[in-house]
Amino acid sequence: MPLLESMKSWLVMEDELRGRVSVCSTIGKGDLGTGIDLLSVVVGSGGAATVLISSISAWLQQPRKSDVVVKVTTSDGKSIEIDAKRVTTLEAQELLRNAFEADQREGT
């Protein structure tokens, strides 16, 4: 199972995230190649963001044969990348939590 589908399947097991997860492809007019597949998760303030942080951290702990980099982009376009080989679970949770909290502060 490709990593994108694996993460999507993992996330939709969470009741709070069901119906909020979708796969998107990006390719613009005149772009060469096949584009980039993205996993989009729409969360507001509250419990869904906390569940997303915990779920991504748990997914990153699962053994896999290829390197994984998770990029999180907030509503204002800021993003962070988490290299699963380079951070611990606690570090991943902290990075994700900081990104979501900063987004919430700036969105109010």
Side-chain angles (χ1 to χ4, degrees):
M1 173 183 295
L3 289 173
L4 192 67
E5 287 300 321
S6 169
M7 181 179 253
K8 181 183 179 192
S9 296
W10 183 274
L11 294 176
V12 298
M13 287 191 296
E14 301 285 356
D15 289 338
E16 293 87 347
L17 299 179
R18 216 169 278 129
R20 298 173 183 249
V21 181
S22 61
V23 176
C24 315
S25 291
T26 61
I27 189 161
K29 184 177 178 181
D31 285 350
L32 299 175
T34 59
I36 299 172
D37 290 329
L38 305 170
L39 189 66
S40 175
V41 183
V42 178
V43 296
S45 59
T50 301
V51 170
L52 179 62
I53 291 167
S54 297
S55 193
I56 290 174
S57 297
W59 183 82
L60 287 171
Q61 291 178 60
Q62 303 305 308
R64 55 190 48 84
K65 294 179 182 176
S66 56
D67 294 344
V68 175
V69 176
V70 174
K71 182 176 180 180
V72 177
T73 304
T74 59
S75 60
D76 64 356
K78 293 180 183 173
S79 64
I80 61 165
E81 287 189 11
I82 300 170
D83 184 333
K85 284 187 130 183
R86 308 274 188 275
V87 296
T88 66
T89 302
L90 291 176
E91 290 169 330
Q93 285 179 336
E94 187 65 24
L95 288 168
L96 290 165
R97 188 169 282 106
N98 287 343
F100 281 104
E101 288 173 357
D103 186 53
Q104 292 299 317
R105 283 192 304 271
E106 293 172 9
T108 58

